Amino acid sequence: MTTKIKFLICFLLFLACYQSVTLQAQFVFEYDPRLEVRKGGESLDLAWAGGFNSPQFSTIDLNNDGIDDLFIYDRATGKVSTFLREGNKWVYAPAYEAAFPNFIGWCLLRDYDCDGNKDLFAATNFGIQVWRNIIDENNGNLAFVQTYDKLETIGRSDTPTNLDVDLTDIPVIKDIDGDGDLDFLNYTPFFGLTVELNKNFAVERNGTCAEFDYQKTNLRWGNFEECFCDEYVFGNQACRTDELEHAGSAILLLDVNGDGKLDLITGDIECNNLALLINEGTNEEAIFSAADMNFPPERPVNIPTFPAAYYEDVTGDGVPDLLVAPNNFINEGNLTNFRASAWLYENQGREDLPDFKFVREDFLQHRMIDVGEAARPVFVDADNDGDLDLFIGTQGQPQSDGSFRASLFYFENTGNRTDPVFTLRSEDAFGLQQLNWRYIRPAFADLNEDGKKDLIITAYSIDTRQTSAYLFPNIAEDNSAFEFSTSNFQTLPISLRITDEVYFYDMNRNGKPDALIGSYQGALRHFENKGNLNFELKNDALGGINNDTRRRFLSLWIADLDGDGKDELITGTDNGKLLIYPDFMTQLEEQERLTPEEQIFFNPNNGRIDSYFFGRGAFPAVYEQSLVVGTLGGGLLHFSNTGRPNATAPIARTEPHLTCFPNPTSGILRLRSSENGNFQIYTTTGALLPQSYTMEANQNTTFDFTSLPKGLYLIRFKSNTGNSQTLKFVKE
């Protein structure tokens, strides 16, 4: 092989590592909770956990250490959140979320094959699917494999039919008859009113719990009907036809009085309470004769719509606690406060004789940034002290007067640029809540050309029933903290739909910020700033980003993520994925359609660079070249930029400085780190090389990788203090 050809191969490999838009990821981000956030004098240790609205709770051993961790599925956002138990604390660990499949409606984790590992039961449009937990004993990684795309049961006609549960409902999956396999208890699909028992005969007939053999053995379990929130009838009585308003129920079985019989706790979509029915029969042949509408007795549940109950140990004492949350797909009637949507009752008794003591309405949420619904973050130096502060727009919150209005949250950076501390200063910055708006999306740009950044709020007005972009001129003195008045604003002449979002960026470099509209239909629209607050439509689908039913509610941010002086376009949509368009202005000059990158998030559990699912909404922002993404659940997630070597580390105080040279290399690689630690090597497909390597701080250490095949590799370094960094190198 000639020297010229060798040089060409090395050059192409170098381009593949550092410059290719389509062959290798230019950008690599990793979840990083280390940006400090303070509220009420306390640091929020789950600040960047993303929030939630309608959480469903299950426990599962995520990391195979023998300790149950926490799994949350948010019905309203479609997002899974995973938390590890570390001592007496819950620690957000999103790396485990990738192990879970996609599903809708409801999801419960139960061990069906008796191997000690909890499996996954979830709703589909056609019934119930089951995924088996197949933890790899060699590496401890959690994984699921689908074993049933739909469960079947023997119905009234003695023929198999789908074991169905309404998507709105939450069933009981439990060994009700005590024979070792899992039975199903649920309200009758489509009709409600009565509860049916699907008994599992797998142990009796097949001698194993690892199979399902269902039969409807009781079509009126408990011998009662649920007519309405505060009305149940028993025995041979039936609800009046004008009371048949059942549209969804969530049920839970547990022994509340220690008599060995499973009692029923139920919540309904039309109700704000939980009802308790005491079992006077047996578990298989339950009999109820009365319903207590005020459960638990110490402080009865009062959630505006559809409370659902869960029985899991979240306090770490080995005894299940009671958790109650709204079971809504959406905030119907805008009645529910999604900032406090996880009621915790600690069980100070036994599992079979609980003593529930109310603790709080915002379990875990009180330790997060959680603004309710649809958190839209913006970073700007609002106090002119040289560092970026944080503002978050919201969809709205219920008010004491019965209204539902949005506000702007303000977190001042009380630290500095390299050591930020975001301290909550106001939940209604600039008094916007009085304007009676919803769906607030903030932006800052100098539109009146006075040298100061103005505030632009895109919002839906309850009074006019229209969405508009409102300009608030900055009336502060030069070099002073931003100041805006609710009596001094005007409407910009840009036509918008209800969830459109306006972002300002100088597309033609003439000093005037143009308007880029992320539309609810998914298109990116460009309005050129003609001066004097006039905007002219230039493109209805900039870069080929057009209306797309698969990717709607477009949100965007523009920033230089890799330090090359060229800006990237970052977008999020309701498909929950984030896209990065590298050097998008150059792309626009060279081609009609922009080319995105989606595989941009590093998962330390499997070493893969992949996409990340944020739920049904992703609202991006950039802080010092790291990503901050708002969620529909009202929270934020922060991802450090660990990608290309010229990317600036966003948190200089804790990021280890790691270098490798020469790169590309024929095999001999010298590494240097600012901290003691060790590293492992991954291929770009996620395969982990077996050996681990140790490094001492501030030492040039030489490693021989001549035996590696040619290609692109990732060095995953972890310091002894727990910090981490990822670098790429090319073996030529």
Side-chain angles (χ1 to χ4, degrees):
M1 184 180 295
T2 67
T3 302
K4 184 176 181 180
I5 293 175
K6 287 182 179 179
F7 175 81
L8 180 59
I9 292 174
C10 291
F11 180 72
L12 290 175
L13 286 169
F14 180 82
L15 288 179
C17 180
Y18 296 119
Q19 295 180 353
S20 169
V21 171
T22 58
L23 296 181
Q24 301 291 346
Q26 286 194 10
F27 305 98
V28 180
F29 296 88
E30 184 174 354
Y31 175 72
D32 186 350
R34 293 173 297 169
L35 289 180
E36 185 176 0
V37 178
R38 299 186 66 82
K39 175 183 177 182
E42 296 183 357
S43 183
L44 302 182
D45 59 336
L46 292 177
W48 307 100
F52 47 74
N53 291 344
S54 298
Q56 300 173 5
F57 299 93
S58 295
T59 52
I60 183 175
D61 186 359
L62 293 170
N63 54 358
N64 204 23
D65 65 353
I67 300 173
D68 270 350
D69 306 300
L70 186 60
F71 165 91
I72 296 176
Y73 172 64
D74 190 335
R75 181 192 285 263
T77 69
K79 187 181 184 304
V80 165
S81 298
T82 49
F83 296 80
L84 293 177
R85 177 177 288 285
E86 295 186 2
N88 292 323
K89 294 179 62 178
W90 291 112
V91 176
Y92 184 52
Y96 294 92
E97 295 167 9
F100 292 88
N102 294 325
F103 38 78
I104 57 175
W106 57 265
C107 176
L108 297 172
L109 304 182
R110 304 289 186 264
D111 179 13
Y112 84 82
D113 54 4
C114 306
D115 65 353
N117 299 319
K118 289 188 177 179
D119 310 297
L120 187 151
F121 293 77
T124 71
N125 288 321
F126 308 103
I128 299 164
Q129 58 181 334
V130 182
W131 297 72
R132 184 168 178 259
N133 184 332
I134 53 168
I135 288 180
D136 189 330
E137 295 181 357
N138 296 319
N139 56 33
N141 285 342
L142 178 70
F144 292 92
V145 60
Q146 188 171 12
T147 51
Y148 294 85
D149 62 348
K150 61 180 179 180
L151 291 179
E152 292 186 339
T153 186
I154 302 297
R156 302 176 184 178
S157 60
D158 292 329
T159 57
T161 184
N162 281 4
L163 200 170
D164 197 13
V165 175
D166 287 342
L167 282 176
T168 54
D169 291 10
I170 293 182
V172 167
I173 309 172
K174 188 180 184 69
D175 182 10
I176 294 174
D177 55 7
D179 64 355
D181 51 30
L182 293 180
D183 308 298
F184 252 87
L185 194 72
N186 56 276
Y187 273 92
T188 304
F190 308 113
F191 302 105
L193 296 180
T194 59
V195 171
E196 61 183 32
L197 173 62
N198 288 274
K199 177 178 165 59
N200 192 351
F201 286 91
V203 169
E204 293 96 324
R205 296 171 180 170
N206 308 315
T208 177
C209 60
E211 298 177 3
F212 297 110
D213 189 351
Y214 284 112
Q215 183 174 339
K216 293 185 186 294
T217 59
N218 195 329
L219 299 179
R220 191 183 170 93
W221 186 84
N223 203 19
F224 78 100
E225 290 186 6
E226 178 201 30
C227 305
F228 199 58
C229 304
D230 56 356
E231 185 174 350
Y232 291 75
V233 295
F234 304 93
N236 296 323
Q237 293 180 301
C239 297
R240 301 191 308 270
T241 55
D242 61 344
E243 295 174 325
L244 305 184
E245 299 182 12
H246 176 88
S249 294
I251 55 178
L252 175 70
L253 285 185
L254 61 106
D255 184 2
V256 300
N257 55 8
D259 65 356
K261 303 171 185 176
L262 293 172
D263 308 301
L264 180 69
I265 298 170
T266 180
D268 190 88
I269 197 169
E270 300 287 344
C271 310
N272 64 352
N273 66 308
L274 288 180
L276 169 65
L277 285 71
I278 298 296
N279 190 353
E280 300 169 359
T282 66
N283 289 340
E284 281 194 73
E285 298 291 340
I287 298 175
F288 302 118
S289 61
D292 180 357
M293 309 302 175
N294 297 296
F295 183 80
E298 181 194 77
R299 180 172 173 179
V301 168
N302 184 14
I303 291 176
T305 57
F306 208 171
Y310 309 87
Y311 202 42
E312 302 285 355
D313 177 20
V314 295
T315 56
D317 60 1
V319 181
D321 306 293
L322 183 69
L323 294 149
V324 187
N327 195 37
N328 301 338
F329 282 105
I330 60 173
N331 194 351
E332 289 195 54
N334 293 317
L335 299 174
T336 303
N337 179 11
F338 278 153
R339 295 184 66 196
S341 56
W343 289 36
L344 170 62
Y345 294 82
E346 182 179 4
N347 186 356
Q348 297 183 0
R350 307 193 312 255
E351 179 175 357
D352 61 345
L353 185 60
D355 180 15
F356 295 124
K357 302 298 182 183
F358 176 78
V359 178
R360 62 186 320 119
E361 298 178 358
D362 54 356
F363 170 63
L364 296 184
Q365 293 170 299
H366 71 292
R367 295 160 54 190
M368 302 178 185
I369 295 174
D370 193 332
V371 300
E373 301 178 66
R376 284 173 166 83
V378 170
F379 290 94
V380 66
D381 185 6
D383 50 9
N384 272 303
D385 64 353
D387 54 40
L388 297 177
D389 308 295
L390 170 63
F391 290 87
I392 308 174
T394 73
Q395 183 166 321
Q397 298 172 50
Q399 306 298 314
S400 58
D401 62 0
S403 64
F404 186 85
R405 301 194 300 273
S407 63
L408 188 64
F409 283 63
Y410 171 44
F411 292 79
E412 179 190 358
N413 187 348
T414 55
N416 53 57
R417 181 175 179 179
T418 59
D419 192 8
V421 179
F422 295 103
T423 302
L424 179 63
R425 293 305 193 200
S426 174
E427 295 185 358
D428 184 22
F430 314 122
L432 298 182
Q433 198 172 86
Q434 64 182 289
L435 297 176
N436 211 22
W437 290 345
R438 296 177 186 169
Y439 304 102
I440 281 183
R441 283 85 76 197
F444 292 89
D446 181 12
L447 293 188
N448 57 11
E449 302 183 54
D450 64 355
K452 295 178 292 186
K453 286 190 175 181
D454 307 305
L455 171 65
I456 303 96
I457 295 291
T458 308
Y460 172 79
S461 170
I462 301 172
D463 298 327
T464 66
R465 298 183 180 276
Q466 291 183 338
T467 293
S468 302
Y470 302 97
L471 169 65
F472 293 78
N474 191 342
I475 57 177
E477 298 292 331
D478 290 344
N479 301 317
S480 298
F482 291 179
E483 185 177 348
F484 307 102
S485 171
T486 54
S487 61
N488 181 24
F489 68 91
Q490 62 188 104
T491 304
L492 295 178
I494 302 175
S495 177
L496 300 173
R497 301 289 294 271
I498 186 168
T499 58
D500 286 355
E501 176 178 316
V502 184
Y503 186 89
F504 291 92
Y505 182 77
D506 187 1
M507 294 287 293
N508 53 12
R509 300 294 189 266
N510 66 353
K512 295 181 174 63
D514 303 300
L516 297 176
I517 312 299
S519 77
Y520 88 104
Q521 293 174 314
L524 179 59
R525 306 169 67 202
H526 171 208
F527 287 80
E528 184 178 346
N529 187 342
K530 306 302 263 185
N532 296 318
L533 303 183
N534 292 314
F535 294 86
E536 179 182 302
L537 179 64
K538 300 295 289 185
N539 197 323
D540 243 343
L542 185 67
I545 302 176
N546 211 330
N547 294 339
D548 189 341
T549 56
R550 299 165 300 175
R551 294 179 175 179
R552 301 179 304 160
F553 306 107
L554 184 74
S555 182
L556 69 145
W557 193 274
I558 298 174
D560 179 9
L561 290 174
D562 53 13
D564 66 353
K566 301 174 182 178
D567 287 334
E568 278 69 53
L569 168 66
I570 307 107
T571 66
T573 61
D574 68 347
N575 78 344
K577 301 296 181 66
L578 219 62
L579 298 179
I580 292 179
Y581 298 84
D583 187 7
F584 84 107
M585 291 296 288
T586 300
Q587 283 200 57
L588 286 174
E589 294 173 0
E590 297 176 351
Q591 57 195 42
E592 292 184 359
R593 301 186 68 86
L594 293 172
T595 303
E597 294 182 7
E598 184 176 320
Q599 318 301 315
I600 56 176
F601 295 100
F602 180 77
N603 188 323
N605 281 4
N606 56 27
R608 292 183 180 277
I609 299 173
D610 207 340
S611 60
Y612 182 84
F613 181 63
F614 291 93
R616 287 188 285 271
F619 313 108
V622 172
Y623 174 78
E624 299 287 353
Q625 292 186 321
S626 64
L627 288 176
V628 172
V629 184
T631 71
L632 192 61
L636 304 180
L637 292 98
H638 170 246
F639 297 84
S640 282
N641 190 334
T642 61
R644 291 167 57 169
N646 60 344
T648 303
I651 313 175
R653 59 191 169 101
T654 54
E655 186 81 6
H657 182 64
L658 179 68
T659 59
C660 67
F661 53 93
N663 191 5
T665 176
S666 60
I668 303 301
L669 194 65
R670 290 186 291 277
L671 283 86
R672 183 182 181 92
S673 171
S674 61
E675 300 183 31
N676 294 328
N678 59 78
F679 70 88
Q680 290 180 291
I681 297 178
Y682 296 84
T683 68
T684 54
T685 62
L688 171 65
L689 276 61
Q691 187 173 352
S692 179
Y693 304 87
T694 302
M695 293 182 60
E696 294 185 10
N698 303 312
Q699 300 282 332
N700 288 336
T701 309
T702 301
F703 299 91
D704 186 353
F705 297 126
T706 54
S707 61
L708 288 179
K710 295 179 180 180
L712 179 65
Y713 295 89
L714 300 176
I715 295 174
R716 178 63 181 163
F717 175 79
K718 288 188 177 181
S719 73
N720 292 346
T721 60
N723 300 319
S724 62
Q725 189 174 350
T726 302
L727 288 184
K728 303 174 185 177
F729 76 91
V730 175
K731 168 65 167 53
E732 61 183 18

